[in-house]
Amino acid sequence: MFRTALRNVLAHKARLLMTVLAVMLGVAFVSGTLVFTDTLSSAFRNQSAKSYDDVAVAVSLRPDPEEARKTPGLSQQVVDKVAKLDGVASVTPRVDGFAGVPDKNGKLIGLGWANKGANFAPSKDGKDAAYAFASGDGPVEADQIALDKATADKGGYKVGDTVRVATNGPVKEYTLSGVFTTEDGAVNAGGSLVLFDTPVAQKLYLKPGYFSDLNVVAASGAHADKLLDEVLTVVPKAATAQTGQALADEQARQIEDGMGTLNQVLLGFAGIALFVGVFLISNTFTMLVAQRTKELALMRAVGASRKQITRSVLAEAGLVGLVASAVGYACGVGLAVGLRSAMTAFDLKVPDGPLVLEAAPALAAFGVGVLITMLAAWLPGRRAAKIPPVAAMSSVHATASTKSLVVRNSIGAVLTAIGAVLIVLGAGQGGDQGRMLIAGGAFATLIGVIVLIPFLSRPVIALIRPLFVSVFGVSGKLAGLNAVRNPRRTGATASALAIGLTLVTGLSVLGATVGSALDKATTDQIKADYMVTMASGTGLSDEALTALEKAPGVTAVSPQQSGALDIKGKFTSASGVTPGAIEKVLKIDVVNGSMDSLAKGQIAVDSKTAEKRGLKVGAAVPVEYMDKQKARLTVGAIYESSDFVSPVLMDKKLLDAHEQQPYVPQIFVKMDGGASAAGEKALSQAMGDNPAITVMDKKDIRDAFGGPINMILNVMYGLLGMALIIAVLGVVNTLAMSVFERQQEIGMLRAIGLDRRRVKRMVRLEAVVISVFGAVVGIGLGSFLGWAIGETVKSSLPGYALVLPWDRIGLFLVLAALVGVLASLWPARSAAKLNMLSAIKAE
């Protein structure tokens, strides 16, 4: 039986090649994902370990703003005490914060959040072990800096050049004293690193004489754990201290967690590819079994048992899976190399390190590939075993019984109904629990629709067929009839497209709906022409606010300074704003009172907070600031709640009195004459052309909120393209089998006058009908899921309303039709080349 299986594999190389390709895609993604994440994890772990090779103990003190008033960091006295401990060879103190450098066009180099500044801490030999200088030396004067090599190359800077550096204060100019290489995580993340002389860094980021971190190097023979105990006796109690090895291990665990998330996402897409591939594999073996009906029946007649027949089909599947797994694993290794190179191309620097090929990815590749293939082939193999020996005496193919179709349709209907109910319940409940219900319902509905899809093929294709008949005449009519001739095969073929388009359509509907809500919110809620922020995500300074107020053409400026109040024992977010300007830059619908009351030292409260706290206009409310100071504030206005406005508004000056370091995440600006290139330039110049400060118009604001959604959509479109590739292979298989089964029919059609051109058109249109059928099912189910998920988030989005992206839906239908045309090229050509007389005589 094994020899028979091997012979059958070799006899159907072309058709099984398509199955190999389908399995190979999924296996490549599984193995590539595992190899890629193993390689990245190893590289980052090695980098982390290398960073702490010489560190015996690491000490850190980064207090919150309240504690920072007493102890802002580790003092020089603490550094000296640690240095005098037995077993300490040296101590390197560090302080860091945000620092950005512009390129020659004034644009910030790096990602903003990963742009870092730190101190150059030379030892007695004048070198800092953390940095290897490619040219020049470290900064030892107040007007000097050093840059990492990647940033210097991007900016075109050389030693001796003047470099503008942006921190949280005004932009300053420094002389470039040196260019260095480093394994610092900020640089490897695509950011930049600026080194300052230590006193300058302390003044910029902390306070003169204080540091954030200490790296302790042990003397020869000293034990790290013993040294840690001694260090803890001389550092402040609020400080954290751990051995360098423990810190490296902790970072390694964090890296593993980060890679685990990426792993799960990529493996999810691999699972989709394999799930779609199951239908192609099952379809392929179903067709091969149908072709070999007489052969299998003869084997039964000469003594082969049902188990032997099933094992024969499973052996074929195992051989195909083995070949596909081997090729898929090799492609997966190539995919891992490509992903690593792609990260570098997008300025996401990956630490140097070898390609890691462990046993787990290889075992997973072969295990998944072989098992998935054999699982998909089991049902066709079981059907093959049921072929009665008497079938050897005729050309009758085993067909599904009416009973089996009734059972199948009943199961599919029940699963679909249960799934739909769960989805509707989840949409009504909302929140995380609602989304969990929707996820379960989506899975049940998808399985139910796949089970029902042969039943659905007749009514859906019946709706499509008149269009093809009216446009293409006889060829269109024959294509529609052929598409429903074998509903099982048509349904299995269409399932691949349906699954892919369900996911893509659901995301598109959700993305378009959320995008529309964000557009509306931006238009309705923001009256300002510009929003000014720091690229680093840190707060803007009071100097920036003053500069914007003095800029030409500005009519209103107000920040939303972040703060908080304890009102009646409950924490409440509050914003410091500019009275008289806030209502000009943000839409504030006053329900009661007047916003003019802010200038009198009163507060404005949104309607939801007022209702929860029982507040009314004129009420004197006892509050406690974050510095523990207590006061009584009068409610001067109540306004409609909005996601763009904090629950409590108050004069910025009132909030400043209780904030050591005011945090202003954004400033809104209204210009005379609206937004314009000249206005944007005037604002940038007013702030000293600071590359770290971003001036955003309404479109930029919308993109900032909607950008992540669009990015996720684009990634999903790209990755789910695999489902379309597998769908193409499935349609090719189905059409090839259809042509094989209908040789006599095609010969007769040719004999009575249907020319080759019309035969090709008939086969192509059949492929288009099947593909469009799958697309219609997928688009319908995806739209339903998009609506349901949207219902769970609409409470957090003002102006939420369902939006169906008809342009994208139309594009999906066109792409589905194109998939059908491409898939039909080889089967249509084969059908047209059939010899009429040979085809008529074929059994």
Side-chain angles (χ1 to χ4, degrees), residues 179-508:
V179 175
F180 59 88
T181 57
T182 178
E183 293 298 324
D184 188 277
V187 177
N188 285 322
S192 62
L193 179 59
V194 181
L195 294 182
F196 300 92
D197 185 33
T198 295
V200 175
Q202 288 176 321
K203 185 178 179 181
L204 283 172
Y205 301 125
L206 206 57
K207 189 177 180 180
Y210 286 89
F211 300 92
S212 302
D213 304 278
L214 303 179
N215 290 335
V216 181
V217 178
S220 178
H223 196 276
D225 290 331
K226 183 179 179 182
L227 191 57
L228 173 62
D229 294 337
E230 294 181 7
V231 167
L232 286 171
T233 63
V234 297
V235 300
K237 292 183 179 180
T240 58
Q242 56 190 134
T243 63
Q245 183 61 52
L247 191 57
D249 292 342
E250 182 182 333
Q251 290 197 0
R253 285 192 295 271
Q254 292 174 351
I255 290 167
E256 290 290 345
D257 292 342
M259 290 297 106
T261 301
L262 177 64
N263 222 9
Q264 291 171 7
V265 172
L266 294 178
L267 287 175
F269 289 110
I272 292 169
L274 289 170
F275 185 59
V276 173
V278 165
F279 296 97
L280 171 57
I281 298 164
S282 180
N283 223 13
T284 299
F285 280 95
T286 298
M287 291 186 288
L288 292 177
V289 167
Q291 281 184 291
R292 292 161 45 209
T293 299
K294 294 180 68 174
E295 174 190 331
L296 294 174
L298 282 170
M299 291 175 67
R300 288 291 314 284
V302 298
S305 67
R306 288 188 174 186
K307 289 184 178 179
Q308 285 179 311
I309 297 296
T310 302
R311 284 199 295 265
S312 172
V313 175
L314 291 178
E316 289 181 49
L319 290 170
V320 171
L322 196 63
V323 173
S325 298
V327 178
Y329 178 70
C331 292
V333 173
L335 178 63
V337 174
L339 286 172
R340 184 170 177 171
S341 300
M343 290 184 71
T344 304
F346 283 100
D347 288 335
L348 297 174
K349 185 180 177 183
V350 179
D352 293 331
L355 187 70
V356 177
L357 299 177
E358 295 184 351
L363 292 174
F366 283 89
V368 167
V370 174
L371 288 176
I372 287 291
T373 309
M374 294 182 71
L375 179 65
W378 175 77
L379 191 58
R382 187 168 173 271
R383 288 184 189 143
K386 291 183 177 181
I387 297 175
V390 73
M393 309 306 297
S394 67
S395 59
V396 177
H397 298 292
T399 57
S401 66
T402 303
K403 180 181 177 181
S404 68
L405 289 174
V406 170
V407 171
R408 174 178 179 142
N409 292 339
S410 299
I411 293 172
V414 169
L415 284 173
T416 304
I418 292 172
V421 169
L422 288 175
I423 291 171
V424 172
L425 288 175
Q429 183 163 342
D432 291 337
Q433 190 171 355
R435 284 188 282 274
M436 291 294 292
L437 284 173
I438 290 173
F443 181 76
T445 302
L446 193 60
I447 297 299
V449 168
I450 289 169
V451 173
L452 270 178
I453 209 166
F455 172 76
L456 296 174
S457 63
R458 291 186 182 278
V460 174
I461 292 176
L463 292 174
I464 302 172
R465 190 166 58 208
L467 174 63
F468 287 85
V469 174
S470 62
V471 177
F472 300 105
V474 174
S475 297
K477 183 176 182 180
L478 290 172
L481 293 172
N482 291 332
V484 294
R485 176 174 293 186
N486 191 328
R488 282 181 184 269
R489 193 162 61 221
T490 296
T493 305
S495 294
L497 265 177
I499 293 167
L501 283 175
T502 294
L503 297 172
V504 173
T505 304
L507 283 169
S508 296

Side-chain angles (χ1 to χ4, degrees), residues 118-139:
N119 66 308
F120 176 67
S123 55
K124 293 179 181 179
D125 61 2
K127 296 181 180 179
D128 189 326
Y131 311 106
F133 279 83
S135 60
D137 298 298

Side-chain angles (χ1 to χ4, degrees), residues 371-677:
L371 288 176
I372 287 291
T373 309
M374 294 182 71
L375 179 65
W378 175 77
L379 191 58
R382 187 168 173 271
R383 288 184 189 143
K386 291 183 177 181
I387 297 175
V390 73
M393 309 306 297
S394 67
S395 59
V396 177
H397 298 292
T399 57
S401 66
T402 303
K403 180 181 177 181
S404 68
L405 289 174
V406 170
V407 171
R408 174 178 179 142
N409 292 339
S410 299
I411 293 172
V414 169
L415 284 173
T416 304
I418 292 172
V421 169
L422 288 175
I423 291 171
V424 172
L425 288 175
Q429 183 163 342
D432 291 337
Q433 190 171 355
R435 284 188 282 274
M436 291 294 292
L437 284 173
I438 290 173
F443 181 76
T445 302
L446 193 60
I447 297 299
V449 168
I450 289 169
V451 173
L452 270 178
I453 209 166
F455 172 76
L456 296 174
S457 63
R458 291 186 182 278
V460 174
I461 292 176
L463 292 174
I464 302 172
R465 190 166 58 208
L467 174 63
F468 287 85
V469 174
S470 62
V471 177
F472 300 105
V474 174
S475 297
K477 183 176 182 180
L478 290 172
L481 293 172
N482 291 332
V484 294
R485 176 174 293 186
N486 191 328
R488 282 181 184 269
R489 193 162 61 221
T490 296
T493 305
S495 294
L497 265 177
I499 293 167
L501 283 175
T502 294
L503 297 172
V504 173
T505 304
L507 283 169
S508 296
V509 169
L510 185 61
T513 302
V514 172
S516 175
L518 289 173
D519 278 338
K520 187 176 180 182
T522 304
T523 303
D524 292 351
Q525 302 295 319
I526 299 178
K527 296 163 69 175
D529 299 308
Y530 295 103
M531 183 173 77
V532 180
T533 62
M534 287 289 289
S536 62
T538 55
L540 291 152
S541 64
D542 284 340
E543 289 86 349
L545 178 60
T546 302
L548 289 170
E549 289 173 340
K550 295 179 180 179
V554 171
T555 58
V557 177
S558 179
Q560 273 213 97
Q561 179 176 314
S562 182
L565 297 172
D566 188 321
I567 301 178
K568 292 187 176 182
K570 294 184 180 179
F571 174 86
T572 307
S573 176
S575 287
V577 300
T578 302
I582 185 64
E583 60 266 37
K584 295 179 182 178
V585 296
L586 292 176
K587 183 181 180 182
I588 299 177
D589 295 323
V590 178
V591 177
N592 198 2
S594 171
M595 294 299 293
D596 294 337
S597 60
L598 296 181
K600 302 173 185 177
Q602 298 180 359
I603 60 173
V605 184
D606 75 358
S607 54
K608 290 182 180 178
T609 303
E611 184 178 351
K612 289 178 182 178
R613 306 286 195 274
L615 305 178
K616 295 182 179 180
V617 171
V621 184
V623 302
E624 183 177 320
Y625 293 95
M626 289 298 98
D627 63 355
K628 305 302 180 182
Q629 294 292 318
K630 296 182 179 180
R632 293 184 72 84
L633 298 176
T634 302
V635 178
I638 294 177
Y639 55 90
E640 287 288 351
S641 301
S642 168
D643 286 348
F644 280 89
V645 183
S646 297
V648 176
L649 298 178
M650 60 195 307
D651 190 339
K652 182 182 185 299
K653 295 176 183 177
L654 189 60
L655 191 60
D656 281 346
H658 302 276
E659 298 282 342
Q660 183 183 12
Q661 294 178 328
Y663 175 60
V664 180
Q666 67 265 135
I667 299 174
F668 294 96
V669 183
K670 184 76 173 174
M671 302 288 290
D672 185 16
S676 66

Side-chain angles (χ1 to χ4, degrees), residues 116 196 658 776 804 841:
K116 180 181 171 185
F196 300 92
H658 302 276
V776 169
L804 292 177
K841 290 190 296 179

Side-chain angles (χ1 to χ4, degrees), residues 55-135:
V55 178
V57 177
V59 183
S60 178
L61 179 57
R62 296 173 181 267
D64 58 41
E66 182 63 27
E67 291 295 329
R69 295 184 180 187
K70 303 173 184 177
T71 309
L74 299 162
S75 67
Q76 185 63 51
Q77 288 79 7
V78 172
V79 177
D80 294 338
K81 287 180 182 179
V82 173
K84 291 177 182 178
L85 292 173
D86 292 336
V88 173
S90 64
V91 179
T92 304
R94 299 289 185 193
V95 60
D96 57 52
F98 169 75
V101 174
D103 58 20
K104 296 299 184 181
N105 297 319
K107 299 296 183 182
L108 185 69
I109 298 172
L111 302 174
W113 58 268
N115 289 359
K116 180 181 171 185
N119 66 308
F120 176 67
S123 55
K124 293 179 181 179
D125 61 2
K127 296 181 180 179
D128 189 326
Y131 311 106
F133 279 83
S135 60

